Amino acid sequence: MGREFIDLFDGWASSYDQTVSGEDVEYKEVFAHYDVILNAVVDYTKGPNVIEFGVGTGNLTKKLINRGHSVMGIEPSSEMLKIAQIKVPDVKVHDGDFIDFPKPQVPVQSIVSSYAFHHLTDEEKDMAIGKYSSILEKGGRIVFADTVFETKASKRRAIETAIASHYNNLADDLSVEYYSDIPTLQAICKKYNFEVLFEQKNKYVWVMVAEKK
């Protein structure tokens, strides 16, 4: 369920905002246009009630709140959460992950996330989207921004490029975590009656918008 990466999240929490601002050269292209990417997620989000998975340090959460949405946050990392609570003190953030989380007490129009869905295997992604299908009504949306590859071959090329550039941390990340390809995600969304589109935002990151039919 992605919980195996909690120690990584806790250790990254204090420097996460520096990483997304481009200070880490290995991840500069991954986080290129970071603010634009978060704004795109917000632009595609229907409200007023939103579940956000992987709140992290609260960057997307703050934008959603500023746009007038009511956010139910889900975050497994206590260290990330400490930072988020400073940025968005009025948002209730629950301990949980993409699959195990408290039942929402109000109708939900959108389920959103940024830079986090890759912590789930493809089988877990299938399980998660199936669960979201039971939460969202017709017209409800899943809006996720994350590193995604057009094909399995393009993922292999990205790993090879990272190795050739001596970006060992990035190469390990791309190899160890569960970055999906677009055809796999399209098939999962179709299985649960979602119409899906993908919009590329930088070399690595795409925004996935899946609307329930």
Side-chain angles (χ1 to χ4, degrees):
M1 314 302 178
R3 294 260 179 174
E4 65 267 35
F5 299 107
I6 288 179
D7 288 345
L8 171 66
F9 305 152
D10 285 345
W12 196 10
S14 62
S15 61
Y16 182 80
D17 284 344
Q18 287 72 40
T19 301
V20 303
S21 68
E23 292 185 16
D24 187 331
V25 65
E26 289 198 42
Y27 287 88
K28 192 167 186 176
E29 289 185 310
V30 176
F31 291 103
H33 317 303
Y34 179 71
D35 202 55
V36 171
I37 290 168
L38 298 193
N39 286 336
V41 173
V42 177
D43 287 343
Y44 279 116
T45 298
K46 290 184 174 182
N49 299 317
V50 179
I51 298 175
E52 182 192 356
F53 288 105
V55 165
T57 61
N59 297 327
L60 176 58
T61 321
K62 187 173 182 179
K63 289 179 178 290
L64 290 164
I65 292 298
N66 289 344
R67 194 68 67 89
H69 296 301
S70 175
V71 179
M72 172 183 167
I74 308 294
E75 173 57 53
S77 166
S78 59
E79 294 303 312
M80 288 279 192
L81 182 54
K82 288 176 185 177
I83 298 171
Q85 287 178 326
I86 295 171
K87 294 181 184 177
V88 285
D90 295 331
V91 174
K92 176 64 176 175
V93 181
H94 304 266
D95 177 64
D97 56 52
F98 281 97
I99 294 174
D100 295 317
F101 56 93
K103 182 179 179 180
Q105 299 302 304
V106 295
V108 173
Q109 287 75 46
S110 291
I111 295 172
V112 306
S113 182
S114 61
Y115 289 86
F117 202 43
H118 62 270
H119 299 309
L120 274 63
T121 65
D122 286 342
E123 292 75 17
E124 289 169 341
K125 291 183 178 84
D126 184 294
M127 190 185 307
I129 291 176
K131 194 165 189 174
Y132 308 155
S133 178
S134 68
I135 293 172
L136 296 169
E137 296 181 353
K138 183 178 179 181
R141 286 181 176 175
I142 300 169
V143 187
F144 287 173
D146 204 0
T147 292
V148 177
F149 294 97
E150 290 186 88
T151 63
K152 289 180 172 62
S154 60
K155 178 180 178 178
R156 288 194 297 271
R157 287 194 296 271
I159 295 170
E160 290 166 0
T161 299
I163 293 170
S165 302
H166 304 289
Y167 290 171
N168 297 327
N169 291 329
L170 176 59
D172 289 345
D173 179 23
L174 294 175
S175 300
V176 172
E177 297 233 34
Y178 310 117
Y179 295 101
S180 299
D181 58 78
I182 288 176
T184 296
L185 293 173
Q186 286 174 325
I188 293 172
C189 289
K190 183 178 180 180
K191 176 180 177 181
Y192 294 105
N193 205 31
F194 285 95
E195 188 173 83
V196 64
L197 66 85
F198 291 85
E199 186 175 282
Q200 189 168 16
K201 291 299 182 181
N202 65 31
K203 181 178 177 181
Y204 293 93
V205 175
W206 297 66
V207 173
M208 180 186 88
V209 184
E211 183 164 310
K212 189 173 178 183
K213 295 189 286 185

